[in-house]
Every structure is written in C-alpha cells, then in structure tokens.
Amino acid sequence: IDGGYITGAKGLDFVHAMRDVCDLIVIGGATVRSDRPTLDARRVDGKAPDVLIYSTHTEFDQSIPLFGVKGRKVVISSDLSAMEGYKNILIEGGGRMYEAVKDKIDMHLSIVSPILRHGLNFSVSAKERIVHQARLGEDLLIWSIPLDKAGEL
C-alpha cells in the first residue's frame, strides 16, 4: 500500500506462489501507475496470470513491466465484468479496491507486515470472520470470510 515493498521475502514468495495458480489478477490503475509492477510469479518460477486493471483512466505507460509479459492478456476496464469467465481470481489492492470488490469475494487475505510507514493505512468498514492465521517470516497472514458468506463453510 505504499508504492514499494513492505512484505518480507517469505511473504513475497507466498504471493508469487498464489499468482502462479490463479487465472487473473485484478489491480487498480493508481497502483499500476505508482508501483509499475510486473505481476508475475518469477520468485517461484511460475506462470504469469492475465491482468485486469480496474480504472476509469485507460491511458497507461506501456513500458510498465506488466505490459511486456509474453502470453498474458491485459484488460483495462472501468467495471469488473472482465472477471467473468475466470475461476481463480487474485485481487491485489488496498481499501478502495476492497470496497469495489467486497460483494464479489469469497475470501480475504490480509498480509500484515511489521513495517509501518507514516500516513499509510488500510481503512475499510467490513465484518468478517477470521478462519485462519499464520506467521510467514516476519509477516502475519490473516484469512477471513465476509460474515454473509460464513454460513457457506
């Protein structure tokens, strides 16, 4: 949530392993512009999933690394309809992204790092049930589900 790495090495490996098994990554346009990510699974020698950039502004610098990954489809859209047809979707983002997709998610994973930076936070209003938590190096993984879906477990 800050235009750079906060998560430790083990946390980054974990995220790359998740990318390797997902079909689509959804990310906000502001994050693409500030972080200039690749959004691949290079840390685990995995595949790079397709990308949906959720943004009302459709112009992007095509030298941003995610646009140069071979064999990947990149869609830029102001709505989330491009998620249809994908089964395993990884949504990466902060509070604004969470608000946009909260009615579409089955499970929420927060990776909490001990690195705190002034003025940065994840602020949303939601009621979820924690279903699992684990340490991964210095980071804490917290898996939760929205309360309205808790009955599905």
Side-chain angles (χ1 to χ4, degrees):
I1 303 180
D2 82 332
Y5 291 118
I6 294 175
T7 307
K10 288 183 180 180
L12 285 171
D13 290 346
F14 180 80
V15 169
H16 279 238
M18 289 180 59
R19 289 176 182 167
D20 182 39
V21 297
C22 77
D23 305 313
L24 177 71
I25 294 176
V26 180
I27 190 167
T31 301
V32 171
R33 287 182 182 89
S34 66
D35 289 2
R36 303 182 61 82
T38 305
L39 300 176
D40 62 6
R42 67 190 173 277
R43 293 179 69 100
V44 296
D45 197 27
K47 70 168 181 63
D50 290 345
V51 174
L52 166 59
I53 301 172
Y54 178 57
S55 179
T56 56
H57 304 288
T58 59
E59 297 297 319
F60 287 87
D61 177 355
Q62 295 297 304
S63 71
I64 294 172
L66 74 86
F67 291 105
V69 177
K70 293 188 187 321
R72 147 188 290 169
K73 181 172 140 184
V74 177
V75 175
I76 303 166
S77 179
S78 62
D79 66 54
L80 298 168
S81 63
M83 290 172 51
E84 295 172 18
Y86 288 94
K87 184 175 180 175
N88 190 1
I89 301 170
L90 178 63
I91 300 169
E92 296 189 19
R96 288 188 312 188
M97 180 60 78
Y98 181 85
E99 290 296 328
V101 301
K102 68 182 176 184
D103 294 333
K104 299 179 181 314
I105 62 170
D106 295 318
M107 188 165 285
H108 177 212
L109 170 62
S110 294
I111 301 177
V112 182
S113 170
I115 298 172
L116 304 175
R117 300 215 176 126
H118 178 71
L120 300 171
N121 60 45
F122 181 83
S123 177
V124 297
S125 293
K127 289 189 177 188
E128 298 185 342
R129 181 173 68 156
I130 295 173
V131 294
H132 182 72
Q133 61 183 345
R135 283 219 169 278
L136 192 59
E138 293 294 315
D139 301 317
L140 178 63
L141 306 178
I142 303 172
W143 293 91
S144 59
I145 56 173
L147 282 181
D148 62 341
K149 295 184 180 184
E152 298 174 11
L153 288 181

